[in-house]
Structures are given as structure tokens and as C-alpha cells.
């Protein structure tokens, strides 16, 4: 059971929903899933007896954006967000006994319909793993991605009336918050 | 006859009512000092003992090496603190509450004898009075909780109400046992009946009293809200429970009330079960014979008895401190379970057992050993009830000595020892009679 | 005269009790820092618990996007500030995984010593603070008495007592000083019997058992679903410990060490025979089991440190020279979880090829562990809420980051 195996299985089962993969990356390899197919793929990964990814370790959003236009030209990518899901299993292990995990990625534009201020939407996996509830709230709070179908999507770490999403690269710290100097 | 304080004052030319007021104030002042200074000492002791239990030193600086004056320094700090009444609080009740608690704890002390004749109010229903007034303390707590306008305080108050009301039942049952063994509710008489060697103490009267003593201790700890039954203030759940919103002096009144009742409950245990003011070896009564000697010697004997009582009570308080710093806290339902499923049945069982013991095998007790190891309780009680020597008449030590091991009450009734001052049950003697040395 | 009871709702309305919203925290003695729980209670029964976080939030991840990995090490200290060494280790290994940096054996054994000592220190606080939550104060101080000795050892090794920044990417900031290993062994010899004291005061105390056994029960499916890890996961009977099941770069540190994962199998813990048996009231997955797993992990850690000291003495190589402060990182991304005392602490590092990473992410174990609160506290008594939250052993610094 390896990542390659898993990729092939997923491709065979979900076809177009699997957008691609990087299996030779430095560090962790990953599999790209379309937003539309995410919940289905996750459900399969969790419940299929061959894989049993019952632990959702982490949900991260990586902001690929470069505020400096000079650097942006050299960056080699269009601005976008990557929602990264790290899954692992407490049931299944590699043959050598080490941890068995997979990285799923969903690519999404930085703003919905390219309109600044419109947060992009990704389906919620809270129905698959209950831990996704808080992770998605955190991700929404800090990186500004709306998880559609989430039971209770509100800020978790920042105050409820906080403006902006701090982990976005173009975020600017407010000058003042309830009379507290920000910068 | 002993000259009383009232006699002394009237003979000095004071009008009679004023003399009685002054007479009433003297024990009040003495007892308020006992409660306040007791609290001072026990708070210091609690800090030292808990410190030692926890590998710390406790206070070491204020007032010398052992931090003697730490509580006094705290008291000054508390007095200096701002007296805050929360905006949401019912201001009047909020202010009254600590005094209600303190007053209850203090008033119960009035009926406690410290030695024969040494009590603020020598009552023939002292046991009843003490329990009843001690139960009033809960009103202060409930008032505090309700009037604070804080939810945590309310939780604390409701818990306290539930807990104290439940524990009154087994506590009452436990207390009834020494009462019926002695046949009196007068604490002085109960104390006097345990005269002689430690074998006469009621805890060793029969297996049931031994058993019920521990039930009493458990219920006593619960009724004064000490750990593991300190649910009303449970700091890890309710922040500080009923006194969450209190600060400064008012808060310290709650504290004083708590320590006052701790000492009271353990003093009651000592009087009822542990020989009251009698030591395990009767040095003063039998060894030296001072107790009945009257005059200065009798006074000294009483003083030693008083010290004895306070020492034993303090040991009880230390046990409470020890328990507090060792055990985790119970949950409210477990506290109620402990009361209703264990304490009440146990106390009832002991009650019936002791009753049966009294009825069928009253002589198979350490108290029925030959004197001075044992005493004839019936004889003592009879002498108190039937004595014809007037309100100041009392039992003589004669009946306790081997020569008169089986005294005849009617002959004893004529014996009257002048340095004793105990009113007969139902007598019309002025309450609160106090001797002057 | 008699009121009609035809309509049952009339009676129900008459005896209805009001629910009350109570705010527990952020300044509350038993919320372990600045957690705020909004409780909906009906008398003593809690019908709903809503945790509110973020009072310690400082967006360490954003700070990490502006610092090189070595500069960010001190920020990891401040996450789980009770086990700073383990946080350092997690981050160091994550960076090393990206750099494909190999450590000498000596450096690995040093890390085992330090990490397991950190685990002992952390579990001691967890144990003591749990006693506080249940209303007993003394075990807390007994725990701190021993923890102080560990902190003294740490201070000698790195100069700090709380925020160590000792294990850094590349190795450690310095070798262990002369004589440190002897002091460490002496401490372990002294400490091991002390654990019996804790068992006497807490584990086997009947009030403690009453307060924790069969309270806050979570089955294996529920804990994994909520992403709970560490003692919470193992307390529910899931045999999963990253020191054995983790990624290679982490498990090779523990290669050839003899240790058993502390988890109940067939009704028995690996060390049941020398330590108090499981009381019959306890149910797998309750507060008592979580506590017990921590206590046994302390024993396990003692054993591991002893083995590591032996190996360290005879190992070759250096203690691990830290990487350059501004070392360029290869383009790529790594995610690595390590077994910190409170669960699996994960770090995610995305690099563009500069020395400053594009994205740094800390996956907090306590964050996931805490997320079960509202589910597991529902229907509990008010006094059980601190007991349950305490048994999860959360550190707000790590949750809020």
C-alpha cells in the first residue's frame, strides 16, 4: 500500500474528480482533488477497509500570492489558495510499521469569481470527520475560505468582530481595534 | 454558696438589671474572642499544617520565625480592602449575610460548657440548642449566594442548602445516642458523666458509640463545609461558591464563621464522646482531688479542664485540616449519597444498637468496671435529677471513689458541693450564671 | 376542588425549571489558562457546553512566515509551554525532514533523553493540575517538587527553565554539560518510587475513582473521529503511538529502544502488574483511564531515559550542530507529527526555496482534544466539567497559538 497505489485506486474510482498528483515532491507527495469530489473522496478514504484514514490530522490553507509585483512575475504560479488535508490512519500501517498517511489538496482561486472580498468556497468535510468542524472554523477564521455545508462556520481564534483573515498574504493588521492600537 | 458576678455588681451599688446585662456581656465578649482568636490561630495553623503536608514551610516571616502574626497581617489587609457590593446584588441582604453566618456560629458557642459551670449559658437543652443554632449558619450562606446576584454564588448556596439540610438528619441521630445514654441534654451533665479514666468516655461505652463517633465526625465535617464536602465553595467548579463576590472584612466574617463552627463541631464531639474536659487520666479529679476542692484549686482544675477541652477540640480541627489537604472533593450527588445511603442508615443502626445495648447488656461496658475505671452513670444522673440541695447542688466526687462505688442517690442528694454551679434540669435558676473566682 | 390534570403540559409547565447560561472562564480556576466555556445548565446538570477559544491567540503561524525556521524555534516553546522541549523537537524534525538532514546517533539519543524528560515534566503538571480540578491541592505541589528537579536539569543543559529553544533544526544548541547524565540518573532513581505516592493520593484514592471512573467516556471511534491523540486516544484503547507508528525520521530516534505503548489490551495495561490495578468502576475511555495512561507513560519515559543515557554514553558523533540561521530551504512541503506529551503535535512547512518559509502551520493536539468537550460534557454534572476538561489536559498556549 503506497501513495502510488492509492493514487491509482482513486483515479480508477473517481476519474475526473482526481485532478492530479505530485508523487515525487520533496517531502510529502500529494494528490489533488477537485472541490466537487472532495467529500466523496474523503468518505471513501475514511470508510474503505483497505485505507481507513480515520484520523484527519490537519486542514491548512496555503496562500500563493505575492504582494510585490516584481517577485510575483518570477513566482512561477498564478495566485491561488491550496486547501491541504493531512489524513492518517490508526488502523492501517505501512509494511515496515510506520505511519500511513496521505495529503489531499484542493486548489481554489483566492477570491470567488475573482471579485476581491468574495471568499472562495470549498465543501466541508465535517460530515466525514467531526474534527473537521473546528479545523475548518480555524481555517475560515485565519485564511478566509468558506466551507459550504459546515454546521456552524464562525470565527474560532480571532474575536467575532475581527475583520480580515490574517494568514492571507495581503492581510493588513488593522490600525485600531476597540481602542487598542494595532500597529 | 459562691458569690456570682451579679451579686458582686449589685453589692457594688449597680442596679439589678444593669448588673445582669453586664453579666451577660462578659461571656459574650469572652466567647467572641474565642471564636475570633480561634479563627486567627486556626487559619495560621491551617497554613502551617498544609504547608508541612505539601513540603512547604508555610508562613515564616510575619511575627517571627513561625509566622505567628501572619493571620493578623491578613486581617489588617482585609480590613483595609475596599468593601465592594456588586451592582447586581441585593445590597441589604448581601451585607447582612456574613453577620448571619457569624452570629450563628458564635451563638452556638454560648451554650457550650468549657468546664463544669464554665459556660455562657448553662442550658438543660444545650445539645438541642447547639445543633439548632449551628443549622442557622446555612441561612447566612444561602443569603450570601442569593443576594450576590452571581450565578456561581447561587450554585454554591443551593448546594449548601441541600447538603446541610440532609446532613442535619444523621448528625441529629448521632447526637441522640450520647443523649439517651446519659439521659440528659445538658452538655455539662454529659461531660461530667465521663469523669474518671478514658474508659468512661462515651466513645468506649459500647461498640455502637464507637462506630457512631466516626459517623458524627463525617457528618460534622460535612455540616461545616470542609473538604471533601466543601461543595458550597468548591473553588475548582464554582470559583469560590457563595463568597465569590465578597471581599475584605465581610469575606473574613465568613471565614471566621467557618473556623468557629469547625471548632464548635469538634468541641461538641469532644463533649459528647471524648470525655469533655476530662483527660484520659484523671489527675485533677482523682489524683490531686482539686476538682472538688473548691476555691483556687477548684478553679485551677476547671482551667485545666477547659484547656483539655480546647486541646482535644483543636486536635479535631487539625484532623479536619489534614483531611482537607489530602482528599479530592466529592461531587454533589456523591455527597448526598454518602449522607442518605451511608450516614443515615449507619447512624440509625448505631442508634438502635446502642438502644438495645442499654436495654439488655448495660453492664458489659468499660464504664461498668470497678471505679475509678468505671462509673455508675445512673447514679450520677439520679443525683442530678433528684437532688434536693437546690439549684447549686451537684454531684460529689464521693460517689466516684472506690469507697462509695454504689452510692444511693437519696443520700447523695443531701451532699452539696459549694464550688459547683449547675442548674438542675427544669430549674428556674437565672440563665447564664457565671462564677467569679 | 381538585385541579384537572387532563393536560399533562399544565403540570409540566408548573414544575418547569429554568435553564441558566453560565460563563465558565476565561478567568476561572479550573479552565487551565484562558479557556472560556459557556455552560447551559439546568440546576447542576449541564445540557450544553460551548468552548470559546482564542484568548491567547497571537498567530504564531503568521510570525513563522516572516522568520527563518531557526528563528521560529522560540515560538514553538510558547505553544505547549509545559513541554517546550517536545515542541522544539517537533519543529526541528520537521525542518530536518525538508532538508533531508541526518543526525548522528549521539544527537538522536540526546533528543530521546530530553524529549522523554520533557514528557515526565509535562505529565507531572497534568497530573497535579488534575488533582486541583478535583479539589485536592497537595498532589499539585508534590508534582511540582519533582518537576522542579527536571527544570533544574534543563536549566543546566540550556539555561532556560520554561522556554528552552534547546532542540533546534540540525541538533541542539549545546551538548549536555559534564556530569549531567549522572545527575539525571540520580534523579530518575529518586523519582521512580515517588510515583507510588501519586498513586496513593490520586490513582487509587476512592474519592478520586468516584470522581473520574465512568465519567466522560469516549469510545475509540469517537476519539479518532474528533482527531484526539496522545493519552486521550490511548486512554480509549486505541493502540497508536507515533514513537512506534510515526514517520521514519521520528521512529528511528526510538529504534532499538525497548518500550511498550501504554494502552489497555485484553483488560490489562503493560505495567499493570507493578502498578495499581484498574478499578472495576472504570470504563475504558473514561477520565480515570486517561489519567492512568499518563501515569504509566511517566514510568515508560523513565525507562526510555535510562536506556537513552546508556546509549548516549557510548554513542559516536557530535550532539548535532544547528543549521545556519538563514539556511536556504529546498522548494517543497513537509508535514510531520511527533508524539508530544499531550498528543500528536504536527508541523507543516511549505517552502518556496527561500530561507523564509511560505507557510508554517502548527497542528495542535490540544486543539483537537478540546473539541470533544461539547460532545462529552453534554448531560454531565457541573462538577464533572472540570473533571472532563482536566482529563484532556489542555494547554491553552498550544490551542490558541
Amino acid at each position: 500500500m503506497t501513495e502510488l497505489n492509492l493514487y491509482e485506486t482513486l483515479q480508477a474510482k473517481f476519474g475526473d474528480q482526481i485532478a492530479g498528483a505530485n508523487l515525487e515532491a520533496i517531502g510529502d507527495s500529494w494528490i489533488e482533488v477537485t472541490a466537487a469530489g472532495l467529500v466523496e473522496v474523503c468518505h471513501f478514504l475514511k470508510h474503505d477497509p483497505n485505507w481507513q484514514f480515520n484520523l484527519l490530522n490537519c486542514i491548512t490553507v496555503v496562500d500563493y500570492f505575492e504582494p510585490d509585483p516584481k517577485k510575483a512575475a518570477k513566482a512561477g504560479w498564478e495566485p491561488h489558495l491550496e486547501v491541504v488535508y493531512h489524513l492518517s490512519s490508526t488502523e492501517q500501517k505501512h509494511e515496515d510499521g510506520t505511519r500511513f498517511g496521505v495529503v489531499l489538496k484542493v486548489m481554489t482561486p483566492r477570491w470567488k469569481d475573482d471579485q476581491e472580498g468574495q471568499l472562495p468556497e470549498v465543501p466541508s468535510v465535517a460530515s466525514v470527520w467531526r474534527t473537521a468542524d473546528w479545523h475548518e472554523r480555524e481555517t475560515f477564521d485565519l485564511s478566509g475560505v468558506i466551507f459550504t455545508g459546515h454546521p456552524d462556520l464562525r470565527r474560532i481564534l480571532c474575536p467575532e468582530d475581527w475583520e480580515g483573515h490574517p494568514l492571507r498574504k495581503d492581510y493588513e493588521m488593522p490600525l485600531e481595534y476597540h481602542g487598542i492600537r494595532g500597529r | 454558696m459562691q458569690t456570682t458576678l451579679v451579686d458582686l455588681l449589685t453589692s457594688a451599688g449597680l442596679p439589678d438589671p444593669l448588673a445582669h446585662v453586664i453579666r451577660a456581656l462578659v461571656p459574650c465578649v469572652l466567647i467572641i474572642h474565642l471564636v475570633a482568636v480561634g479563627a486567627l490561630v486556626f487559619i495560621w495553623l491551617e497554613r502551617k499544617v498544609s504547608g508541612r503536608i505539601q513540603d512547604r514551610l508555610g508562613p515564616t516571616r510575619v511575627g517571627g520565625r513561625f509566622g505567628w502574626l501572619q493571620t493578623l497581617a491578613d486581617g489588617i489587609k482585609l480590613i483595609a480592602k475596599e468593601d465592594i457590593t456588586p451592582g447586581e446584588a441585593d445590597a441589604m441582604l448581601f451585607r447582612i449575610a456574613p453577620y448571619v453566618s457569624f452570629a450563628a456560629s458564635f451563638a452556638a458557642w454560648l451554650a457550650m460548657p468549657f468546664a463544669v459551670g464554665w459556660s455562657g449559658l448553662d442550658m438543660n437543652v444545650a445539645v438541642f440548642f447547639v445543633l439548632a443554632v449551628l443549622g442557622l449558619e446555612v441561612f447566612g450562606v444561602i443569603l450570601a449566594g442569593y443576594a450576590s446576584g452571581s450565578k456561581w454564588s447561587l450554585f454554591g448556596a443551593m448546594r449548601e442548602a441541600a447538603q446541610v439540610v440532609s446532613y442535619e438528619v444523621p448528625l441529629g441521630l448521632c447526637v441522640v445516642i450520647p443523649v439517651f445514654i446519659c439521659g440528659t441534654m445538658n452538655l455539662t451533665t454529659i461531660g461530667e458523666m465521663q469523669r474518671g479514666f478514658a474508659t468512661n468516655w462515651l466513645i468506649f461505652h459500647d461498640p455502637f458509640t464507637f462506630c457512631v463517633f466516626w459517623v458524627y465526625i463525617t457528618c460534622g465535617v460535612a455540616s461545616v463545609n470542609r473538604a471533601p464536602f466543601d461543595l458550597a465553595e468548591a473553588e475548582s467548579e464554582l470559583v469560590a461558591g457563595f463568597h465569590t463576590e465578597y471581599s475584605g472584612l465581610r469575606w473574613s466574617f465568613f471565614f471566621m464563621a467557618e473556623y468557629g463552627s469547625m471548632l464548635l463541631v469538634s468541641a461538641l464531639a469532644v463533649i459528647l464522646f471524648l470525655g469533655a474536659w476530662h483527660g484520659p487520666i484523671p489527675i485533677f479529679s482523682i489524683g490531686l482531688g482539686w476538682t472538688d476542692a473548691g476555691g483556687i484549686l477548684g478553679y485551677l482544675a476547671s482551667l485545666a479542664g477547659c484547656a483539655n477541652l480546647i486541646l482535644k477540640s483543636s486536635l479535631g480541627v487539625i484532623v479536619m485540616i489534614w483531611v482537607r489537604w489530602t482528599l479530592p472533593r466529592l461531587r454533589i450527588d456523591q455527597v448526598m449519597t454518602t449522607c442518605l445511603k451511608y450516614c443515615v442508615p449507619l447512624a440509625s443502626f448505631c442508634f438502635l444498637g446502642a438502644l438495645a445495648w442499654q436495654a439488655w447488656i448495660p453492664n458489659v461496658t468499660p464504664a461498668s468496671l470497678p471505679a475509678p475505671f468505671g462509673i455508675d452513670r445512673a447514679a450520677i444522673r439520679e443525683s442530678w435529677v433528684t437532688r434536693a440541695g437546690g439549684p447549686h447542688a451537684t454531684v460529689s466526687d464521693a460517689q466516684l471513689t472506690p469507697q462509695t462505688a454504689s452510692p444511693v442517690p437519696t443520700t447523695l442528694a443531701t451532699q452539696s458541693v459549694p464550688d459547683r454551679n449547675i442548674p438542675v434540669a427544669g430549674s428556674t435558676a437565672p440563665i447564664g450564671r457565671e462564677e467569679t473566682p | 376542588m381538585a385541579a384537572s390534570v387532563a393536560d399533562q403540559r399544565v403540570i409540566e409547565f408548573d414544575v418547569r425549571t429554568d435553564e441558566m447560561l453560565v460563563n465558565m472562564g476565561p478567568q476561572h480556576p479550573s479552565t487551565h489558562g484562558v479557556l472560556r466555556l459557556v455552560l447551559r445548565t439546568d440546576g447542576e446538570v449541564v445540557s450544553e457546553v460551548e468552548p470559546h477559544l482564542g484568548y491567547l491567540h497571537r498567530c504564531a503561524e503568521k510570525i513563522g512566515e516572516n522568520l527563518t525556521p531557526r528563528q521560529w524555534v522560540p515560538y514553538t516553546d510558547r505553544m505547549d509551554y509545559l513541554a517546550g522541549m517536545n515542541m522544539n523537537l517537533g519543529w526541528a524534525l520537521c525542518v530536518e525532514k525538508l532538508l533531508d538532514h541526518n543526525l548522528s546517533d549521539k544527537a538522536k539519543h540526546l533528543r530521546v533523553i530530553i524529549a522523554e524528560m520533557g514528557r515526565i515534566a509535562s505529565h507531572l503538571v497534568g497530573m497535579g493540575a488534575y488533582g486541583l480540578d478535583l479539589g485536592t491541592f497537595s498532589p499539585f505541589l508534590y508534582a511540582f517538587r519533582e518537576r522542579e528537579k527536571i527544570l533544574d536539569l534543563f536549566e543546566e543543559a540550556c539555561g532556560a527553565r520554561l522556554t528552552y529553544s534547546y532542540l533546534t533544526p540540525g541538533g541542539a544548541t549545546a551538548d549536555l554539560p559534564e556530569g549531567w547524565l549522572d545527575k539525571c540518573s540520580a534523579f530518575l532513581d529518586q523519582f521512580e518510587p515517588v510515583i507510588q505516592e501519586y498513586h496513593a493520593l490520586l490513582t487509587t484514592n476512592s474519592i478520586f475513582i468516584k470522581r473520574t471512573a465512568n465519567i466522560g467516556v469516549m469510545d475509540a471511534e469517537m476519539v479518532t473521529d474528533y482527531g484526539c491523540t496522545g493519552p486521550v486516544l490511548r486512554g480509549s484503547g486505541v493502540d497508536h503511538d507515533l514513537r512506534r507508528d510515526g514517520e521514519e525520521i521520528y521512529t528511528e530516534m526510538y529504534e532499538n529502544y525497548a518500550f511498550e505503548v501504554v494502552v489497555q489490551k485484553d483488560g490489562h495495561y503493560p505495567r499493570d502488574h507493578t502498578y495499581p490495578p484498574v478499578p472495576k468502576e472504570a470504563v475504558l475511555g473514561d477520565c480515570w483511564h486517561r489519567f492512568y495512561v499518563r501515569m504509566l507513560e511517566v514510568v515508560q519515559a523513565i525507562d526510555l531515559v535510562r536506556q537513552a543515557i546508556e546509549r548516549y554514553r557510548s554513542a559516536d558523533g557530535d550532539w548535532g550542530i544547528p543549521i545556519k540561521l538563514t539556511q536556504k530551504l529546498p522548494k517543497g512541503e513537509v508535514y510531520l507529527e511527533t508524539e508530544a506529551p499531550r498528543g500528536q503535535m504536527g508541523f507543516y512547512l511549505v517552502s518556496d526555496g527561500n530561507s523564509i518559509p511560505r507557510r508554517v502551520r502548527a497542528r495542535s493536539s490540544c486543539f483537537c482534544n478540546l473539541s470533544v468537550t461539547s460532545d462529552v460534557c453534554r448531560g454531565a454534572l457541573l462538577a464533572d466539567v472540570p473533571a472532563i476538561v482536566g482529563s484532556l489536559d489542555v494547554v491553552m498556549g498550544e490551542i490558541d497559538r
Side-chain angles (χ1 to χ4, degrees):
Chain A
M1 293 196 288
T2 61
E3 275 79 2
L4 187 68
N5 251 330
L6 176 61
Y7 178 52
E8 282 164 0
T9 315
L10 287 178
Q11 261 190 330
K13 188 159 171 60
F14 294 100
D16 287 350
Q17 310 285 28
I18 308 300
N22 184 347
L23 302 180
E24 274 85 43
I26 296 178
D28 299 327
S29 53
W30 44 267
I31 296 170
E32 191 191 330
V33 186
T34 60
L38 178 70
V39 178
E40 248 180 281
V41 171
C42 287
H43 193 267
F44 168 76
L45 286 175
K46 185 186 176 191
H47 294 289
D48 189 79
N50 286 328
W51 307 103
Q52 293 184 311
F53 288 106
N54 52 359
L55 210 59
L56 171 66
N57 295 92
C58 191
I59 300 177
T60 315
V61 168
V62 187
D63 187 7
Y64 285 90
F65 177 74
E66 190 53 69
D68 185 353
K70 272 187 200 162
K71 283 187 191 165
K74 289 191 285 182
W77 32 250
E78 286 296 302
H80 66 284
L81 295 179
E82 287 180 5
V83 188
V84 190
Y85 297 82
H86 289 94
L87 318 180
S88 64
S89 171
T90 60
E91 304 289 325
Q92 303 283 345
K93 283 169 191 136
H94 282 300
E95 280 87 19
D96 59 355
T98 55
R99 177 188 172 82
F100 189 58
V102 67
V103 185
L104 296 183
K105 278 190 180 183
V106 176
M107 307 289 180
T108 159
R110 296 193 76 241
W111 304 109
K112 190 184 176 187
D113 306 328
D114 277 335
Q115 287 184 340
E116 199 154 316
Q118 294 283 314
L119 296 181
E121 287 174 0
V122 171
S124 163
V125 293
S127 56
V128 184
W129 298 277
R130 278 187 278 186
T131 181
D133 182 344
W134 277 26
H135 278 299
E136 284 173 355
R137 276 176 70 185
E138 186 191 337
T139 314
F140 159 74
D141 184 3
L142 300 181
S143 301
V145 174
I146 287 178
F147 291 91
T148 51
H150 187 282
D152 181 25
L153 195 67
R154 50 200 169 90
R155 288 185 182 272
I156 188 167
L157 291 178
C158 293
E160 273 157 34
D161 57 352
W162 194 259
E163 277 174 24
H165 301 278
L167 282 178
R168 291 218 167 202
K169 290 286 181 185
D170 52 358
Y171 172 76
E172 287 195 6
M173 184 76 178
L175 288 171
E176 190 254 330
Y177 174 74
H178 290 303
I180 306 164
R181 205 157 56 86
R183 267 188 287 183
Chain B
M1 282 299 126
Q2 190 84 8
T3 18
T4 61
L5 186 60
V6 177
D7 301 336
L8 207 70
L9 290 170
T10 41
S11 66
L14 277 170
D16 198 49
L18 192 62
H20 275 99
V21 168
I22 292 176
R23 158 65 186 81
L25 278 176
V26 169
C28 282
V29 169
L30 283 176
I31 285 169
I32 217 163
H33 277 81
L34 178 93
V35 176
V37 175
L40 224 63
V41 171
F42 286 121
I43 292 170
W44 171 81
L45 194 68
E46 173 131 38
R47 292 176 150 206
K48 278 313 245 193
V49 171
S50 67
R52 292 295 169 162
I53 286 175
Q54 296 170 347
D55 266 2
R56 299 183 284 117
L57 292 173
T60 50
R61 296 196 177 196
V62 189
R65 257 188 84 195
F66 301 105
W68 296 110
L69 294 179
Q70 183 65 48
T71 339
L72 196 67
D74 283 348
I76 292 167
K77 181 202 76 177
L78 287 172
I79 291 169
K81 271 175 112 169
E82 189 186 350
D83 179 27
I84 298 168
T85 308
E88 288 286 304
D90 184 326
M92 195 189 69
L93 293 182
F94 182 82
R95 291 193 182 139
I96 286 177
Y99 304 118
V100 173
S101 257
F102 180 73
S105 163
F106 160 71
W109 272 106
L110 283 176
M112 293 292 280
F114 293 90
V116 176
W118 284 29
S119 62
L121 202 56
D122 212 341
M123 284 187 159
N124 47 19
V125 287
V127 175
F128 184 70
F129 178 82
V130 168
L131 277 188
V133 174
L134 190 64
L136 280 180
E137 198 192 332
V138 68
F139 281 106
V141 172
I142 294 174
L143 271 187
Y146 166 73
S148 290
S150 153
K151 290 165 182 171
W152 294 122
S153 305
L154 192 62
F155 270 123
M158 289 344 275
R159 284 180 174 192
E160 166 94 4
Q163 180 185 336
V164 171
V165 167
S166 314
Y167 273 91
E168 296 265 290
V169 177
L171 197 69
L173 276 172
C174 296
V175 166
V176 161
I177 293 172
V179 167
F180 78 65
I181 289 175
C182 297
T184 174
M185 286 219 266
N186 188 329
L187 283 173
T188 318
T189 318
I190 294 177
E192 232 3 50
M193 283 197 178
Q194 302 175 59
R195 215 164 177 188
F197 282 87
T199 45
N200 289 333
W201 294 3
L202 284 176
I203 184 177
F204 302 121
H205 182 262
D206 59 64
F208 301 103
T209 49
F210 186 80
C211 195
V212 91
F213 171 73
W214 304 107
V215 181
Y216 173 85
I217 289 288
T218 312
C219 299
V221 171
S223 69
V224 296
N225 279 313
R226 289 287 293 187
F229 304 104
D230 57 342
L231 289 153
E233 45 197 294
E235 82 280 349
S236 64
E237 298 144 30
L238 304 186
V239 188
F242 65 91
H243 59 61
T244 306
E245 306 294 338
Y246 281 89
S247 71
L249 203 57
R250 282 177 216 286
W251 179 81
S252 71
F253 268 102
F254 277 122
F255 234 61
M256 271 199 268
E258 180 185 331
Y259 283 88
S261 343
M262 267 163 76
L263 188 63
L264 182 80
V265 162
S266 71
L268 197 60
V270 168
I271 293 178
L272 293 178
F273 294 99
L274 295 179
W277 39 88
H278 304 293
I281 299 162
I283 299 170
F284 285 94
S285 63
I286 294 174
L288 297 172
W290 288 4
T291 313
D292 303 299
I296 193 81
L297 290 184
Y299 180 73
L300 279 177
S302 290
L303 194 68
C306 178
N308 205 328
L309 176 86
I310 289 178
L311 185 75
K312 281 193 271 187
S313 318
S314 304
L315 284 178
V317 175
I318 289 174
V319 169
M320 289 189 198
I321 293 173
W322 174 24
V323 167
R324 172 174 176 187
W325 295 104
T326 309
L327 293 180
R329 181 183 307 115
L330 284 163
R331 214 169 49 202
I332 182 73
D333 59 324
Q334 291 161 348
V335 168
M336 299 311 240
T337 311
T338 312
C339 173
L340 300 174
K341 285 196 182 162
Y342 300 100
C343 288
V344 172
L346 256 177
S348 312
F349 172 74
C350 290
F351 176 79
L352 293 175
L355 212 60
W357 190 282
Q358 279 294 90
W360 291 311
I361 33 178
N363 295 323
V364 193
T365 63
S368 62
L369 293 171
F373 298 100
I375 46 168
D376 190 344
R377 282 179 218 286
I380 298 178
R381 187 173 60 247
E382 292 301 310
S383 76
W384 286 65
V385 177
T386 59
R387 111 196 88 173
H392 301 296
T394 185
V395 66
S396 151
D397 219 25
Q399 61 177 267
L400 301 171
T401 54
Q403 295 95 312
T404 53
S406 30
V408 185
T410 43
T411 58
L412 279 166
T414 56
Q415 298 175 349
S416 144
V417 180
D419 68 334
R420 288 285 160 266
N421 176 23
I422 302 148
V424 156
S427 84
T428 51
I431 51 172
R433 189 170 297 271
E434 170 127 330
E435 294 171 64
T436 45
Chain C
M1 180 79 187
S4 161
V5 287
D7 190 354
Q8 287 294 321
R9 283 171 303 175
V10 174
I11 297 180
E12 207 158 272
F13 181 78
D14 272 353
V15 296
R16 186 175 61 101
T17 49
D18 273 338
E19 287 190 328
M20 188 154 81
L21 271 183
V22 191
N23 203 12
M24 197 174 190
Q27 295 97 356
H28 186 277
S30 67
T31 50
H32 293 252
V34 284
L35 172 62
R36 174 175 163 223
L37 299 169
V38 177
L39 314 176
R40 182 182 292 280
T41 62
D42 182 1
E44 289 272 337
V45 182
V46 176
S47 52
E48 201 183 313
V49 178
E50 174 69 37
H52 290 257
L53 325 172
Y55 291 91
L56 274 183
H57 182 54
R58 54 232 184 251
C59 218
E61 294 170 9
K62 187 77 174 177
I63 299 170
E65 290 176 8
N66 296 297
L67 297 175
T68 64
R70 266 200 68 197
Q71 286 174 324
W72 200 56
V73 170
Y75 290 89
T76 61
D77 278 328
R78 283 150 182 83
M79 288 183 183
D80 184 349
Y81 43 76
L82 295 175
M85 289 290 192
N86 302 69
M87 298 290 112
N88 295 163
L89 175 68
W91 176 237
L93 280 170
C94 178
V95 177
E96 284 159 16
K97 184 181 170 189
L98 181 66
L99 293 170
D100 208 11
H101 184 99
N102 280 317
L103 286 177
S104 70
D105 280 351
K106 191 166 182 169
K108 284 177 194 160
H109 296 318
L110 183 145
R111 284 184 170 186
V112 173
I113 297 175
I114 294 295
E116 296 305 316
M117 289 293 274
R119 191 182 310 276
I120 297 173
S122 165
H123 281 342
L124 280 176
V125 181
M127 179 214 81
Y130 195 39
L132 279 187
D133 290 342
L134 298 178
T136 175
F137 200 84
S138 300
F140 183 70
L141 285 147
Y142 294 149
F144 263 75
R145 177 186 65 199
E146 305 305 325
R147 182 179 150 92
E148 282 299 299
K149 293 170 191 162
I150 300 177
L151 297 191
D152 287 344
L153 286 169
F154 281 169
E155 186 180 13
E156 216 174 306
C158 69
R161 292 172 66 85
L162 189 71
T163 49
Y164 314 101
S165 305
Y166 180 53
L167 305 177
T168 53
T173 51
D175 197 3
L176 294 173
E178 196 111 336
W180 194 92
L181 294 172
D182 296 327
K183 285 182 194 166
C184 188
S185 319
F187 164 74
L188 295 176
D189 293 341
Q190 176 266 323
F191 174 59
E192 204 170 3
V194 173
I195 297 173
Q196 295 299 347
E197 256 179 45
Y198 304 144
H199 284 310
L201 275 171
L202 292 174
T203 321
T204 57
N205 181 309
S206 64
I207 296 181
F208 179 84
I209 293 172
K210 272 191 171 178
R211 286 293 310 273
T212 55
N214 209 355
I215 301 295
V217 183
M218 296 189 274
D219 59 11
E221 196 265 326
M222 180 176 172
V223 279
T224 46
D225 207 17
Y226 272 109
C228 299
T229 45
V232 180
L233 184 72
R234 290 190 285 278
S236 290
V238 180
D239 188 5
H240 190 69
D241 187 324
L242 289 185
R243 285 173 290 177
R244 187 194 64 199
D245 308 321
E247 289 188 34
E248 206 187 341
I249 189 166
Y250 185 50
T251 50
E252 71 182 10
M253 263 173 60
Y254 290 91
E255 222 166 24
N256 302 324
Y257 278 84
F259 73 98
E260 264 184 280
V261 173
V262 179
V263 67
Q264 192 182 46
K265 269 188 220 153
D266 313 322
H268 289 285
Y269 281 98
R271 286 182 181 270
D272 247 3
H273 49 284
T274 43
Y275 286 91
V278 179
K280 57 180 186 304
E281 299 97 317
V283 180
L284 190 62
D286 63 5
C287 296
W288 191 89
H289 277 272
R290 289 192 277 277
F291 177 82
Y292 195 54
V293 165
R294 277 190 198 101
M295 295 302 289
L296 292 192
E297 278 187 14
V298 171
V299 185
Q300 178 197 45
I302 292 175
D303 205 32
L304 280 169
V305 177
R306 286 211 176 110
Q307 295 179 43
I309 288 175
E310 283 309 303
R311 280 155 215 243
Y312 180 82
R313 284 188 205 273
S314 58
D316 303 325
D318 55 16
W319 74 86
I321 310 297
I323 59 168
K324 277 192 305 191
L325 204 59
T326 53
Q327 170 110 22
K328 273 224 186 284
L329 303 170
K331 196 168 156 66
E333 52 183 76
V334 286
Y335 179 74
L336 183 75
E337 284 193 353
T338 53
E339 189 73 34
R342 288 180 174 70
Q344 300 176 6
M345 184 69 201
F347 286 99
Y348 181 45
L349 174 58
V350 181
S351 161
D352 285 342
N354 301 320
S355 56
I356 293 176
R358 165 154 291 275
R359 178 78 161 92
V360 168
R361 171 86 161 101
R363 181 264 186 199
S364 155
S365 49
C366 295
F367 183 80
C368 302
N369 289 356
L370 186 69
S371 65
V372 297
T373 319
S374 41
D375 215 354
V376 87
C377 288
R378 192 172 298 128
L381 287 177
L382 188 64
D384 289 335
V385 174
I388 292 169
V389 175
S391 78
L392 300 173
D393 192 16
V394 292
V395 165
M396 293 314 287
E398 188 190 322
I399 292 171
D400 292 343
R401 281 156 291 151

